[in-house]
Amino acid sequence: MLDLHKLHAFVVVVEERNITHAANRLFIQQPPLTRLLKKLEEELGTQLLIRQPRGIEPTEAGLALFKEAQLLLEHARHIPKLVQDVSQGKTGQLNIGFTSSAGLHPLISLVLRSYREIYPNVQTKLEEAGSQKQLDRLISEKLDIAFLRAPISRDIGLKHHHILDEPMMVALPIGHPLTQKEKISSNDL
């Protein structure tokens, strides 16, 4: 496996076209840099650089390595930020469950839209299912969050938050005896 340190040194040498200048830029002495380049050539089994009186020229194999090494090093520079972003929830995927009736509520679409604006690099995967299936998927960690209308038992190992109370109406046919009452209690129903 190629060592990023060696690749970085190689890229600097090709950019500088001079071992002394590259060594200065890398804050190392020229002999260790020369040994590092020789070891890289041995590991790859081919000559990467041609030493000329006026500096260094990459071979065709050296140019191929140079291009790939630049891409690899650029990618490697972004890895710490990527890992931090994932650990802080700024990127990745959020699996969201909702019941069909909860999905129609304007609050849910507002919350999802706001979340996407704040965290544009997080993909949201929406899954519609019944309450029990969502609870099962939360417990098995296949969902990260779920919007439910049914109450949750406190002893199933899930943290839940009450976010909304909604008014309910009773619809009755005209002429139904309960339509004559001013107020209808749940016992009446």
Side-chain angles (χ1 to χ4, degrees):
M1 181 182 298
L2 291 174
D3 178 338
L4 289 180
H5 174 70
K6 288 179 192 167
L7 288 178
H8 175 65
F10 174 77
V11 166
V12 171
V13 168
V14 173
E15 288 173 350
E16 293 292 333
R17 306 280 177 160
N18 182 294
I19 295 275
T20 304
H21 295 157
N24 287 338
R25 190 168 141 195
L26 293 166
F27 302 106
I28 62 173
Q29 298 294 315
Q30 186 177 339
L33 179 57
T34 302
R35 284 191 297 274
L36 186 142
L37 294 171
K38 182 147 182 65
K39 191 167 188 169
L40 182 61
E41 288 178 327
E42 289 171 3
E43 287 174 9
L44 294 174
T46 189
Q47 184 178 2
L48 299 171
L49 300 168
I50 300 170
R51 283 103 179 138
Q52 298 181 339
R54 293 186 167 228
I56 301 290
E57 286 295 320
T59 63
E60 279 195 47
L63 276 176
L65 177 63
F66 175 71
K67 289 175 186 173
E68 291 300 315
Q70 283 181 308
L71 293 172
L72 183 63
L73 292 168
E74 183 63 27
H75 185 74
R77 274 191 275 282
H78 293 289
I79 289 174
K81 181 167 178 8
L82 171 70
V83 171
Q84 289 171 353
D85 285 352
V86 169
S87 73
Q88 295 170 2
K90 294 178 182 176
T91 190
Q93 181 170 313
L94 183 65
N95 300 309
I96 303 170
F98 62 94
T99 59
S100 57
S101 60
L104 299 174
H105 197 283
L107 176 69
I108 304 303
S109 60
L110 177 68
V111 168
L112 292 176
R113 191 175 21 252
S114 297
Y115 185 85
R116 286 181 181 142
E117 288 173 6
I118 296 168
Y119 299 104
N121 295 326
V122 175
Q123 294 179 334
T124 52
K125 181 181 174 195
L126 303 175
E127 181 180 316
E128 182 182 347
S131 295
Q132 189 56 52
K133 184 175 181 183
Q134 285 190 66
L135 290 172
D136 293 342
R137 293 184 62 71
L138 282 166
I139 291 167
S140 65
E141 298 183 7
K142 291 179 179 151
L143 284 178
D144 299 303
I145 187 171
F147 293 98
L148 306 167
R149 289 194 172 204
I152 298 175
S153 170
R154 293 198 179 268
D155 61 353
I156 62 171
L158 295 174
K159 184 173 182 167
H160 59 280
H161 232 9
H162 181 87
I163 59 171
L164 183 65
D165 284 314
E166 297 179 279
M168 297 207 61
M169 299 177 134
V170 174
L172 300 167
I174 295 174
H176 190 281
L178 290 178
T179 60
Q180 305 304 313
K181 291 185 140 204
E182 183 75 26
K183 278 190 160 184
I184 302 172
S185 71
S186 57
N187 288 338
D188 292 335
L189 296 174

